[in-house]
Amino acid sequence: MFVPVPLADTRFEILVDAAFGARPAVAAVGLPAVSDPFATWLRAVALGGQGRYAAARAELARVLRQRPDPVLSSLAASTTGSLLRQLGWHAAASGWDGRAAAMVLPGLLAVSPESGATSPDRVDAACDALTGLAADALGLGRLDLAARLLERVRALLGDDETVRVRARIRLCWVRAETALAGGDAVRALSHAEAGSRLAETTLSARHRIKSALLVAAATAAAGDHGRAAELAEAVGERAAEHGLLPLRWATAMLGSGVAATPEDRTCAAAEANSYEQMILHLGGRFRPAGTC
């Protein structure tokens, strides 16, 4: 997990902790006011994790209006794509992820593989953009394209799992989702568990919880609904503890399919609907079925 260049005051530490650390719920209480573009991006990441979509989009728009360096501009664009994709707008997200990739792929070979260890660089941004494009392709039913894009990410990351851990976790997520979409539950579970192992080496509560959610989903796909329901319940509790509304919604959606009894499934579906209404109130508009 990269550690961005500090802003020389405690506001920076709070923002990093909210975006990529152990206290994402800080974003629900209030984040420091900042003008630095990188800190503004951190605010957007933290707000998005809480499901505060309108606020996150506003912060990302601020970053892009300031026209910072290509790396930060790319990160802001791919984060915009991520927010759209979370709500089902894969086609729209692909435009932002493509824009993000175009900002950093030129000249990428000039970047040292280790140079992102202390701050995000072109490789980090390119991995975000390409992983996002793979997830977009997956959502549009283009599994072969998703697999090719993920292979490009793997090649950029190399084999040392101690560097660029955040990008490796995201790669595992989309690899697991691609395997699930292809009907290969065993492979999906392997990728999900690999992502979870990596996430446990970081301070990021959000990455650990989402990784655990993917393990639960892959476990369900493998046919062990009882175990998947247990895992989903634990994930839901952790997501609630940290105020991670989008993950609470996704976990409730999973629970509505794997809970042990019809009553429990109905309860989970009702929870998912209540979280969806909360997300709508916070500016998150889900893509209606049958639209792009």
Side-chain angles (χ1 to χ4, degrees), residues 39-80:
T40 303
W41 176 70
L42 289 172
R43 281 178 58 90
V45 171
L47 290 165
Q50 298 287 302
R52 299 166 66 90
Y53 287 94
R57 288 195 303 267
E59 298 290 353
L60 292 168
R62 284 179 58 200
V63 175
L64 292 168
R65 280 198 302 271
Q66 294 176 40
R67 298 174 183 250
D69 63 87
V71 169
L72 184 51
S73 295
S74 177
L75 290 170
S78 60
T79 303
T80 302

PDB file of all heavy atoms in Angstrom, residues 39-80:
ATOM      1  N   ALA A  39      -4.421  15.697  -1.709  1.00  0.00           N
ATOM      2  CA  ALA A  39      -5.257  15.555  -0.520  1.00  0.00           C
ATOM      3  C   ALA A  39      -6.736  15.559  -0.897  1.00  0.00           C
ATOM      4  O   ALA A  39      -7.541  14.854  -0.285  1.00  0.00           O
ATOM      5  CB  ALA A  39      -4.958  16.680   0.461  1.00  0.00           C
ATOM      6  N   THR A  40      -7.086  16.330  -1.906  1.00  0.00           N
ATOM      7  CA  THR A  40      -8.467  16.344  -2.374  1.00  0.00           C
ATOM      8  C   THR A  40      -8.854  14.979  -2.936  1.00  0.00           C
ATOM      9  O   THR A  40      -9.967  14.487  -2.712  1.00  0.00           O
ATOM     10  CB  THR A  40      -8.662  17.429  -3.442  1.00  0.00           C
ATOM     11  OG1 THR A  40      -8.273  18.698  -2.899  1.00  0.00           O
ATOM     12  CG2 THR A  40     -10.111  17.516  -3.900  1.00  0.00           C
ATOM     13  N   TRP A  41      -7.932  14.344  -3.653  1.00  0.00           N
ATOM     14  CA  TRP A  41      -8.202  12.988  -4.151  1.00  0.00           C
ATOM     15  C   TRP A  41      -8.398  12.015  -2.986  1.00  0.00           C
ATOM     16  O   TRP A  41      -9.293  11.166  -3.018  1.00  0.00           O
ATOM     17  CB  TRP A  41      -7.060  12.518  -5.053  1.00  0.00           C
ATOM     18  CG  TRP A  41      -7.230  11.101  -5.514  1.00  0.00           C
ATOM     19  CD1 TRP A  41      -8.164  10.624  -6.397  1.00  0.00           C
ATOM     20  CD2 TRP A  41      -6.455   9.971  -5.098  1.00  0.00           C
ATOM     21  NE1 TRP A  41      -8.013   9.268  -6.552  1.00  0.00           N
ATOM     22  CE2 TRP A  41      -6.978   8.835  -5.776  1.00  0.00           C
ATOM     23  CE3 TRP A  41      -5.373   9.810  -4.232  1.00  0.00           C
ATOM     24  CZ2 TRP A  41      -6.448   7.558  -5.602  1.00  0.00           C
ATOM     25  CZ3 TRP A  41      -4.845   8.538  -4.058  1.00  0.00           C
ATOM     26  CH2 TRP A  41      -5.379   7.432  -4.746  1.00  0.00           C
ATOM     27  N   LEU A  42      -7.567  12.137  -1.956  1.00  0.00           N
ATOM     28  CA  LEU A  42      -7.741  11.286  -0.786  1.00  0.00           C
ATOM     29  C   LEU A  42      -9.113  11.482  -0.158  1.00  0.00           C
ATOM     30  O   LEU A  42      -9.764  10.519   0.262  1.00  0.00           O
ATOM     31  CB  LEU A  42      -6.653  11.581   0.252  1.00  0.00           C
ATOM     32  CG  LEU A  42      -5.229  11.129  -0.083  1.00  0.00           C
ATOM     33  CD1 LEU A  42      -4.259  11.664   0.956  1.00  0.00           C
ATOM     34  CD2 LEU A  42      -5.129   9.613  -0.170  1.00  0.00           C
ATOM     35  N   ARG A  43      -9.566  12.734  -0.096  1.00  0.00           N
ATOM     36  CA  ARG A  43     -10.916  12.994   0.414  1.00  0.00           C
ATOM     37  C   ARG A  43     -11.957  12.263  -0.421  1.00  0.00           C
ATOM     38  O   ARG A  43     -12.895  11.658   0.114  1.00  0.00           O
ATOM     39  CB  ARG A  43     -11.216  14.499   0.394  1.00  0.00           C
ATOM     40  CG  ARG A  43     -10.613  15.298   1.530  1.00  0.00           C
ATOM     41  CD  ARG A  43     -10.928  16.784   1.375  1.00  0.00           C
ATOM     42  NE  ARG A  43     -12.357  17.029   1.328  1.00  0.00           N
ATOM     43  CZ  ARG A  43     -13.108  17.272   2.393  1.00  0.00           C
ATOM     44  NH1 ARG A  43     -12.562  17.297   3.599  1.00  0.00           N
ATOM     45  NH2 ARG A  43     -14.388  17.497   2.272  1.00  0.00           N
ATOM     46  N   ALA A  44     -11.800  12.309  -1.730  1.00  0.00           N
ATOM     47  CA  ALA A  44     -12.767  11.656  -2.616  1.00  0.00           C
ATOM     48  C   ALA A  44     -12.797  10.149  -2.384  1.00  0.00           C
ATOM     49  O   ALA A  44     -13.872   9.534  -2.342  1.00  0.00           O
ATOM     50  CB  ALA A  44     -12.430  11.955  -4.072  1.00  0.00           C
ATOM     51  N   VAL A  45     -11.624   9.542  -2.233  1.00  0.00           N
ATOM     52  CA  VAL A  45     -11.549   8.103  -1.994  1.00  0.00           C
ATOM     53  C   VAL A  45     -12.260   7.751  -0.690  1.00  0.00           C
ATOM     54  O   VAL A  45     -13.052   6.799  -0.618  1.00  0.00           O
ATOM     55  CB  VAL A  45     -10.082   7.634  -1.961  1.00  0.00           C
ATOM     56  CG1 VAL A  45      -9.987   6.184  -1.496  1.00  0.00           C
ATOM     57  CG2 VAL A  45      -9.441   7.803  -3.337  1.00  0.00           C
ATOM     58  N   ALA A  46     -11.987   8.526   0.353  1.00  0.00           N
ATOM     59  CA  ALA A  46     -12.604   8.263   1.654  1.00  0.00           C
ATOM     60  C   ALA A  46     -14.118   8.432   1.592  1.00  0.00           C
ATOM     61  O   ALA A  46     -14.870   7.601   2.123  1.00  0.00           O
ATOM     62  CB  ALA A  46     -12.004   9.183   2.705  1.00  0.00           C
ATOM     63  N   LEU A  47     -14.585   9.483   0.948  1.00  0.00           N
ATOM     64  CA  LEU A  47     -16.015   9.728   0.839  1.00  0.00           C
ATOM     65  C   LEU A  47     -16.700   8.646   0.014  1.00  0.00           C
ATOM     66  O   LEU A  47     -17.804   8.195   0.352  1.00  0.00           O
ATOM     67  CB  LEU A  47     -16.262  11.106   0.224  1.00  0.00           C
ATOM     68  CG  LEU A  47     -15.891  12.299   1.112  1.00  0.00           C
ATOM     69  CD1 LEU A  47     -15.836  13.579   0.292  1.00  0.00           C
ATOM     70  CD2 LEU A  47     -16.878  12.439   2.264  1.00  0.00           C
ATOM     71  N   GLY A  48     -16.057   8.209  -1.061  1.00  0.00           N
ATOM     72  CA  GLY A  48     -16.634   7.145  -1.874  1.00  0.00           C
ATOM     73  C   GLY A  48     -16.797   5.855  -1.093  1.00  0.00           C
ATOM     74  O   GLY A  48     -17.795   5.140  -1.235  1.00  0.00           O
ATOM     75  N   GLY A  49     -15.831   5.544  -0.250  1.00  0.00           N
ATOM     76  CA  GLY A  49     -15.917   4.345   0.566  1.00  0.00           C
ATOM     77  C   GLY A  49     -17.099   4.362   1.510  1.00  0.00           C
ATOM     78  O   GLY A  49     -17.627   3.305   1.886  1.00  0.00           O
ATOM     79  N   GLN A  50     -17.544   5.564   1.902  1.00  0.00           N
ATOM     80  CA  GLN A  50     -18.701   5.718   2.776  1.00  0.00           C
ATOM     81  C   GLN A  50     -20.021   5.769   2.003  1.00  0.00           C
ATOM     82  O   GLN A  50     -21.090   5.892   2.606  1.00  0.00           O
ATOM     83  CB  GLN A  50     -18.559   6.997   3.593  1.00  0.00           C
ATOM     84  CG  GLN A  50     -17.359   7.023   4.518  1.00  0.00           C
ATOM     85  CD  GLN A  50     -17.534   6.116   5.707  1.00  0.00           C
ATOM     86  OE1 GLN A  50     -18.478   6.252   6.466  1.00  0.00           O
ATOM     87  NE2 GLN A  50     -16.627   5.156   5.861  1.00  0.00           N
ATOM     88  N   GLY A  51     -19.930   5.703   0.679  1.00  0.00           N
ATOM     89  CA  GLY A  51     -21.137   5.803  -0.131  1.00  0.00           C
ATOM     90  C   GLY A  51     -21.611   7.218  -0.347  1.00  0.00           C
ATOM     91  O   GLY A  51     -22.731   7.432  -0.831  1.00  0.00           O
ATOM     92  N   ARG A  52     -20.786   8.190  -0.040  1.00  0.00           N
ATOM     93  CA  ARG A  52     -21.146   9.603  -0.211  1.00  0.00           C
ATOM     94  C   ARG A  52     -20.766  10.021  -1.639  1.00  0.00           C
ATOM     95  O   ARG A  52     -19.813  10.770  -1.868  1.00  0.00           O
ATOM     96  CB  ARG A  52     -20.455  10.449   0.849  1.00  0.00           C
ATOM     97  CG  ARG A  52     -20.859  10.053   2.274  1.00  0.00           C
ATOM     98  CD  ARG A  52     -19.933  10.658   3.315  1.00  0.00           C
ATOM     99  NE  ARG A  52     -20.027  12.107   3.359  1.00  0.00           N
ATOM    100  CZ  ARG A  52     -20.873  12.789   4.128  1.00  0.00           C
ATOM    101  NH1 ARG A  52     -21.710  12.153   4.917  1.00  0.00           N
ATOM    102  NH2 ARG A  52     -20.887  14.097   4.118  1.00  0.00           N
ATOM    103  N   TYR A  53     -21.542   9.505  -2.587  1.00  0.00           N
ATOM    104  CA  TYR A  53     -21.181   9.601  -3.996  1.00  0.00           C
ATOM    105  C   TYR A  53     -21.161  11.038  -4.512  1.00  0.00           C
ATOM    106  O   TYR A  53     -20.245  11.430  -5.244  1.00  0.00           O
ATOM    107  CB  TYR A  53     -22.129   8.749  -4.839  1.00  0.00           C
ATOM    108  CG  TYR A  53     -21.865   7.273  -4.689  1.00  0.00           C
ATOM    109  CD1 TYR A  53     -22.565   6.501  -3.766  1.00  0.00           C
ATOM    110  CD2 TYR A  53     -20.893   6.645  -5.452  1.00  0.00           C
ATOM    111  CE1 TYR A  53     -22.315   5.146  -3.608  1.00  0.00           C
ATOM    112  CE2 TYR A  53     -20.630   5.292  -5.315  1.00  0.00           C
ATOM    113  CZ  TYR A  53     -21.344   4.552  -4.391  1.00  0.00           C
ATOM    114  OH  TYR A  53     -21.078   3.210  -4.237  1.00  0.00           O
ATOM    115  N   ALA A  54     -22.164  11.820  -4.180  1.00  0.00           N
ATOM    116  CA  ALA A  54     -22.195  13.197  -4.677  1.00  0.00           C
ATOM    117  C   ALA A  54     -21.000  13.984  -4.163  1.00  0.00           C
ATOM    118  O   ALA A  54     -20.349  14.723  -4.912  1.00  0.00           O
ATOM    119  CB  ALA A  54     -23.504  13.870  -4.271  1.00  0.00           C
ATOM    120  N   ALA A  55     -20.692  13.824  -2.878  1.00  0.00           N
ATOM    121  CA  ALA A  55     -19.551  14.534  -2.298  1.00  0.00           C
ATOM    122  C   ALA A  55     -18.240  14.069  -2.911  1.00  0.00           C
ATOM    123  O   ALA A  55     -17.349  14.881  -3.200  1.00  0.00           O
ATOM    124  CB  ALA A  55     -19.529  14.337  -0.782  1.00  0.00           C
ATOM    125  N   ALA A  56     -18.106  12.763  -3.136  1.00  0.00           N
ATOM    126  CA  ALA A  56     -16.886  12.237  -3.743  1.00  0.00           C
ATOM    127  C   ALA A  56     -16.712  12.760  -5.166  1.00  0.00           C
ATOM    128  O   ALA A  56     -15.608  13.142  -5.569  1.00  0.00           O
ATOM    129  CB  ALA A  56     -16.919  10.704  -3.739  1.00  0.00           C
ATOM    130  N   ARG A  57     -17.792  12.772  -5.937  1.00  0.00           N
ATOM    131  CA  ARG A  57     -17.707  13.280  -7.319  1.00  0.00           C
ATOM    132  C   ARG A  57     -17.297  14.744  -7.327  1.00  0.00           C
ATOM    133  O   ARG A  57     -16.527  15.187  -8.191  1.00  0.00           O
ATOM    134  CB  ARG A  57     -19.044  13.104  -8.033  1.00  0.00           C
ATOM    135  CG  ARG A  57     -19.390  11.672  -8.394  1.00  0.00           C
ATOM    136  CD  ARG A  57     -20.525  11.617  -9.399  1.00  0.00           C
ATOM    137  NE  ARG A  57     -21.715  12.303  -8.925  1.00  0.00           N
ATOM    138  CZ  ARG A  57     -22.717  11.721  -8.270  1.00  0.00           C
ATOM    139  NH1 ARG A  57     -22.657  10.425  -7.994  1.00  0.00           N
ATOM    140  NH2 ARG A  57     -23.770  12.413  -7.894  1.00  0.00           N
ATOM    141  N   ALA A  58     -17.805  15.517  -6.380  1.00  0.00           N
ATOM    142  CA  ALA A  58     -17.448  16.943  -6.319  1.00  0.00           C
ATOM    143  C   ALA A  58     -15.955  17.117  -6.054  1.00  0.00           C
ATOM    144  O   ALA A  58     -15.297  17.988  -6.660  1.00  0.00           O
ATOM    145  CB  ALA A  58     -18.271  17.636  -5.235  1.00  0.00           C
ATOM    146  N   GLU A  59     -15.403  16.300  -5.167  1.00  0.00           N
ATOM    147  CA  GLU A  59     -13.970  16.383  -4.878  1.00  0.00           C
ATOM    148  C   GLU A  59     -13.144  15.996  -6.104  1.00  0.00           C
ATOM    149  O   GLU A  59     -12.131  16.628  -6.418  1.00  0.00           O
ATOM    150  CB  GLU A  59     -13.609  15.481  -3.696  1.00  0.00           C
ATOM    151  CG  GLU A  59     -14.275  15.850  -2.383  1.00  0.00           C
ATOM    152  CD  GLU A  59     -13.747  17.148  -1.793  1.00  0.00           C
ATOM    153  OE1 GLU A  59     -12.775  17.710  -2.323  1.00  0.00           O
ATOM    154  OE2 GLU A  59     -14.316  17.604  -0.789  1.00  0.00           O
ATOM    155  N   LEU A  60     -13.565  14.949  -6.799  1.00  0.00           N
ATOM    156  CA  LEU A  60     -12.820  14.526  -7.991  1.00  0.00           C
ATOM    157  C   LEU A  60     -12.886  15.584  -9.085  1.00  0.00           C
ATOM    158  O   LEU A  60     -11.893  15.816  -9.796  1.00  0.00           O
ATOM    159  CB  LEU A  60     -13.392  13.201  -8.504  1.00  0.00           C
ATOM    160  CG  LEU A  60     -13.140  12.004  -7.576  1.00  0.00           C
ATOM    161  CD1 LEU A  60     -13.974  10.804  -8.014  1.00  0.00           C
ATOM    162  CD2 LEU A  60     -11.658  11.634  -7.544  1.00  0.00           C
ATOM    163  N   ALA A  61     -14.030  16.230  -9.218  1.00  0.00           N
ATOM    164  CA  ALA A  61     -14.152  17.308 -10.201  1.00  0.00           C
ATOM    165  C   ALA A  61     -13.202  18.451  -9.857  1.00  0.00           C
ATOM    166  O   ALA A  61     -12.598  19.072 -10.749  1.00  0.00           O
ATOM    167  CB  ALA A  61     -15.589  17.814 -10.262  1.00  0.00           C
ATOM    168  N   ARG A  62     -13.040  18.718  -8.556  1.00  0.00           N
ATOM    169  CA  ARG A  62     -12.090  19.757  -8.124  1.00  0.00           C
ATOM    170  C   ARG A  62     -10.672  19.394  -8.549  1.00  0.00           C
ATOM    171  O   ARG A  62      -9.916  20.247  -9.033  1.00  0.00           O
ATOM    172  CB  ARG A  62     -12.145  19.915  -6.605  1.00  0.00           C
ATOM    173  CG  ARG A  62     -13.334  20.671  -6.063  1.00  0.00           C
ATOM    174  CD  ARG A  62     -13.284  20.746  -4.546  1.00  0.00           C
ATOM    175  NE  ARG A  62     -12.062  21.377  -4.065  1.00  0.00           N
ATOM    176  CZ  ARG A  62     -11.594  21.241  -2.833  1.00  0.00           C
ATOM    177  NH1 ARG A  62     -12.226  20.462  -1.966  1.00  0.00           N
ATOM    178  NH2 ARG A  62     -10.486  21.868  -2.467  1.00  0.00           N
ATOM    179  N   VAL A  63     -10.300  18.129  -8.361  1.00  0.00           N
ATOM    180  CA  VAL A  63      -8.956  17.694  -8.748  1.00  0.00           C
ATOM    181  C   VAL A  63      -8.746  17.918 -10.243  1.00  0.00           C
ATOM    182  O   VAL A  63      -7.732  18.493 -10.674  1.00  0.00           O
ATOM    183  CB  VAL A  63      -8.730  16.217  -8.394  1.00  0.00           C
ATOM    184  CG1 VAL A  63      -7.370  15.752  -8.928  1.00  0.00           C
ATOM    185  CG2 VAL A  63      -8.800  15.994  -6.888  1.00  0.00           C
ATOM    186  N   LEU A  64      -9.693  17.466 -11.040  1.00  0.00           N
ATOM    187  CA  LEU A  64      -9.529  17.531 -12.489  1.00  0.00           C
ATOM    188  C   LEU A  64      -9.546  18.964 -12.999  1.00  0.00           C
ATOM    189  O   LEU A  64      -8.863  19.290 -13.976  1.00  0.00           O
ATOM    190  CB  LEU A  64     -10.615  16.697 -13.166  1.00  0.00           C
ATOM    191  CG  LEU A  64     -10.474  15.183 -12.917  1.00  0.00           C
ATOM    192  CD1 LEU A  64     -11.724  14.438 -13.353  1.00  0.00           C
ATOM    193  CD2 LEU A  64      -9.244  14.642 -13.644  1.00  0.00           C
ATOM    194  N   ARG A  65     -10.290  19.842 -12.352  1.00  0.00           N
ATOM    195  CA  ARG A  65     -10.288  21.256 -12.746  1.00  0.00           C
ATOM    196  C   ARG A  65      -8.934  21.900 -12.510  1.00  0.00           C
ATOM    197  O   ARG A  65      -8.531  22.821 -13.227  1.00  0.00           O
ATOM    198  CB  ARG A  65     -11.367  22.030 -11.978  1.00  0.00           C
ATOM    199  CG  ARG A  65     -12.769  21.877 -12.507  1.00  0.00           C
ATOM    200  CD  ARG A  65     -13.672  22.978 -11.990  1.00  0.00           C
ATOM    201  NE  ARG A  65     -13.731  23.029 -10.534  1.00  0.00           N
ATOM    202  CZ  ARG A  65     -14.596  22.356  -9.795  1.00  0.00           C
ATOM    203  NH1 ARG A  65     -15.468  21.548 -10.374  1.00  0.00           N
ATOM    204  NH2 ARG A  65     -14.584  22.477  -8.468  1.00  0.00           N
ATOM    205  N   GLN A  66      -8.221  21.420 -11.488  1.00  0.00           N
ATOM    206  CA  GLN A  66      -6.913  21.995 -11.170  1.00  0.00           C
ATOM    207  C   GLN A  66      -5.820  21.521 -12.123  1.00  0.00           C
ATOM    208  O   GLN A  66      -4.705  22.033 -12.089  1.00  0.00           O
ATOM    209  CB  GLN A  66      -6.541  21.645  -9.721  1.00  0.00           C
ATOM    210  CG  GLN A  66      -7.445  22.300  -8.696  1.00  0.00           C
ATOM    211  CD  GLN A  66      -7.116  21.869  -7.280  1.00  0.00           C
ATOM    212  OE1 GLN A  66      -5.955  21.725  -6.905  1.00  0.00           O
ATOM    213  NE2 GLN A  66      -8.144  21.653  -6.472  1.00  0.00           N
ATOM    214  N   ARG A  67      -6.128  20.518 -12.955  1.00  0.00           N
ATOM    215  CA  ARG A  67      -5.166  20.005 -13.942  1.00  0.00           C
ATOM    216  C   ARG A  67      -3.806  19.710 -13.319  1.00  0.00           C
ATOM    217  O   ARG A  67      -2.782  20.290 -13.718  1.00  0.00           O
ATOM    218  CB  ARG A  67      -4.998  20.980 -15.101  1.00  0.00           C
ATOM    219  CG  ARG A  67      -6.275  21.194 -15.873  1.00  0.00           C
ATOM    220  CD  ARG A  67      -6.098  22.272 -16.920  1.00  0.00           C
ATOM    221  NE  ARG A  67      -7.342  22.512 -17.604  1.00  0.00           N
ATOM    222  CZ  ARG A  67      -7.587  22.181 -18.867  1.00  0.00           C
ATOM    223  NH1 ARG A  67      -6.654  21.593 -19.576  1.00  0.00           N
ATOM    224  NH2 ARG A  67      -8.748  22.446 -19.419  1.00  0.00           N
ATOM    225  N   PRO A  68      -3.767  18.800 -12.345  1.00  0.00           N
ATOM    226  CA  PRO A  68      -2.483  18.452 -11.724  1.00  0.00           C
ATOM    227  C   PRO A  68      -1.646  17.595 -12.666  1.00  0.00           C
ATOM    228  O   PRO A  68      -1.968  17.449 -13.851  1.00  0.00           O
ATOM    229  CB  PRO A  68      -2.910  17.677 -10.474  1.00  0.00           C
ATOM    230  CG  PRO A  68      -4.210  17.057 -10.863  1.00  0.00           C
ATOM    231  CD  PRO A  68      -4.883  18.033 -11.785  1.00  0.00           C
ATOM    232  N   ASP A  69      -0.592  16.990 -12.151  1.00  0.00           N
ATOM    233  CA  ASP A  69       0.282  16.167 -12.974  1.00  0.00           C
ATOM    234  C   ASP A  69      -0.487  14.963 -13.528  1.00  0.00           C
ATOM    235  O   ASP A  69      -1.556  14.612 -13.018  1.00  0.00           O
ATOM    236  CB  ASP A  69       1.479  15.687 -12.160  1.00  0.00           C
ATOM    237  CG  ASP A  69       1.038  14.794 -11.007  1.00  0.00           C
ATOM    238  OD1 ASP A  69       0.897  13.582 -11.212  1.00  0.00           O
ATOM    239  OD2 ASP A  69       0.819  15.319  -9.899  1.00  0.00           O
ATOM    240  N   PRO A  70       0.041  14.313 -14.582  1.00  0.00           N
ATOM    241  CA  PRO A  70      -0.698  13.214 -15.217  1.00  0.00           C
ATOM    242  C   PRO A  70      -1.054  12.072 -14.277  1.00  0.00           C
ATOM    243  O   PRO A  70      -2.123  11.465 -14.419  1.00  0.00           O
ATOM    244  CB  PRO A  70       0.265  12.745 -16.311  1.00  0.00           C
ATOM    245  CG  PRO A  70       1.103  13.932 -16.624  1.00  0.00           C
ATOM    246  CD  PRO A  70       1.271  14.652 -15.329  1.00  0.00           C
ATOM    247  N   VAL A  71      -0.192  11.770 -13.313  1.00  0.00           N
ATOM    248  CA  VAL A  71      -0.477  10.661 -12.403  1.00  0.00           C
ATOM    249  C   VAL A  71      -1.720  10.959 -11.579  1.00  0.00           C
ATOM    250  O   VAL A  71      -2.650  10.142 -11.494  1.00  0.00           O
ATOM    251  CB  VAL A  71       0.736  10.378 -11.485  1.00  0.00           C
ATOM    252  CG1 VAL A  71       0.344   9.412 -10.361  1.00  0.00           C
ATOM    253  CG2 VAL A  71       1.887   9.803 -12.295  1.00  0.00           C
ATOM    254  N   LEU A  72      -1.768  12.117 -10.969  1.00  0.00           N
ATOM    255  CA  LEU A  72      -2.904  12.459 -10.132  1.00  0.00           C
ATOM    256  C   LEU A  72      -4.173  12.647 -10.969  1.00  0.00           C
ATOM    257  O   LEU A  72      -5.272  12.247 -10.556  1.00  0.00           O
ATOM    258  CB  LEU A  72      -2.605  13.720  -9.333  1.00  0.00           C
ATOM    259  CG  LEU A  72      -3.684  14.144  -8.325  1.00  0.00           C
ATOM    260  CD1 LEU A  72      -4.075  12.988  -7.416  1.00  0.00           C
ATOM    261  CD2 LEU A  72      -3.200  15.326  -7.507  1.00  0.00           C
ATOM    262  N   SER A  73      -4.037  13.245 -12.146  1.00  0.00           N
ATOM    263  CA  SER A  73      -5.198  13.383 -13.031  1.00  0.00           C
ATOM    264  C   SER A  73      -5.753  12.010 -13.405  1.00  0.00           C
ATOM    265  O   SER A  73      -6.968  11.796 -13.436  1.00  0.00           O
ATOM    266  CB  SER A  73      -4.808  14.150 -14.297  1.00  0.00           C
ATOM    267  OG  SER A  73      -4.435  15.473 -13.998  1.00  0.00           O
ATOM    268  N   SER A  74      -4.845  11.074 -13.669  1.00  0.00           N
ATOM    269  CA  SER A  74      -5.265   9.716 -14.003  1.00  0.00           C
ATOM    270  C   SER A  74      -5.969   9.050 -12.836  1.00  0.00           C
ATOM    271  O   SER A  74      -7.009   8.404 -12.992  1.00  0.00           O
ATOM    272  CB  SER A  74      -4.052   8.886 -14.444  1.00  0.00           C
ATOM    273  OG  SER A  74      -4.426   7.553 -14.717  1.00  0.00           O
ATOM    274  N   LEU A  75      -5.409   9.199 -11.637  1.00  0.00           N
ATOM    275  CA  LEU A  75      -6.036   8.614 -10.451  1.00  0.00           C
ATOM    276  C   LEU A  75      -7.430   9.184 -10.230  1.00  0.00           C
ATOM    277  O   LEU A  75      -8.367   8.448  -9.877  1.00  0.00           O
ATOM    278  CB  LEU A  75      -5.160   8.856  -9.221  1.00  0.00           C
ATOM    279  CG  LEU A  75      -3.843   8.080  -9.169  1.00  0.00           C
ATOM    280  CD1 LEU A  75      -2.974   8.610  -8.035  1.00  0.00           C
ATOM    281  CD2 LEU A  75      -4.092   6.590  -8.988  1.00  0.00           C
ATOM    282  N   ALA A  76      -7.581  10.485 -10.441  1.00  0.00           N
ATOM    283  CA  ALA A  76      -8.896  11.105 -10.271  1.00  0.00           C
ATOM    284  C   ALA A  76      -9.886  10.581 -11.303  1.00  0.00           C
ATOM    285  O   ALA A  76     -11.057  10.321 -10.987  1.00  0.00           O
ATOM    286  CB  ALA A  76      -8.770  12.628 -10.362  1.00  0.00           C
ATOM    287  N   ALA A  77      -9.421  10.400 -12.536  1.00  0.00           N
ATOM    288  CA  ALA A  77     -10.305   9.892 -13.588  1.00  0.00           C
ATOM    289  C   ALA A  77     -10.711   8.445 -13.317  1.00  0.00           C
ATOM    290  O   ALA A  77     -11.885   8.081 -13.457  1.00  0.00           O
ATOM    291  CB  ALA A  77      -9.618  10.011 -14.947  1.00  0.00           C
ATOM    292  N   SER A  78      -9.751   7.603 -12.926  1.00  0.00           N
ATOM    293  CA  SER A  78     -10.095   6.204 -12.687  1.00  0.00           C
ATOM    294  C   SER A  78     -10.955   6.046 -11.433  1.00  0.00           C
ATOM    295  O   SER A  78     -11.803   5.141 -11.361  1.00  0.00           O
ATOM    296  CB  SER A  78      -8.834   5.340 -12.589  1.00  0.00           C
ATOM    297  OG  SER A  78      -7.999   5.752 -11.540  1.00  0.00           O
ATOM    298  N   THR A  79     -10.786   6.922 -10.451  1.00  0.00           N
ATOM    299  CA  THR A  79     -11.660   6.878  -9.282  1.00  0.00           C
ATOM    300  C   THR A  79     -13.081   7.275  -9.659  1.00  0.00           C
ATOM    301  O   THR A  79     -14.056   6.700  -9.165  1.00  0.00           O
ATOM    302  CB  THR A  79     -11.125   7.800  -8.168  1.00  0.00           C
ATOM    303  OG1 THR A  79      -9.790   7.419  -7.842  1.00  0.00           O
ATOM    304  CG2 THR A  79     -11.979   7.702  -6.913  1.00  0.00           C
ATOM    305  N   THR A  80     -13.213   8.244 -10.559  1.00  0.00           N
ATOM    306  CA  THR A  80     -14.535   8.600 -11.075  1.00  0.00           C
ATOM    307  C   THR A  80     -15.176   7.389 -11.753  1.00  0.00           C
ATOM    308  O   THR A  80     -16.362   7.091 -11.554  1.00  0.00           O
ATOM    309  CB  THR A  80     -14.432   9.764 -12.065  1.00  0.00           C
ATOM    310  OG1 THR A  80     -13.821  10.895 -11.422  1.00  0.00           O
ATOM    311  CG2 THR A  80     -15.802  10.161 -12.590  1.00  0.00           C
TER     312      THR A  80
END
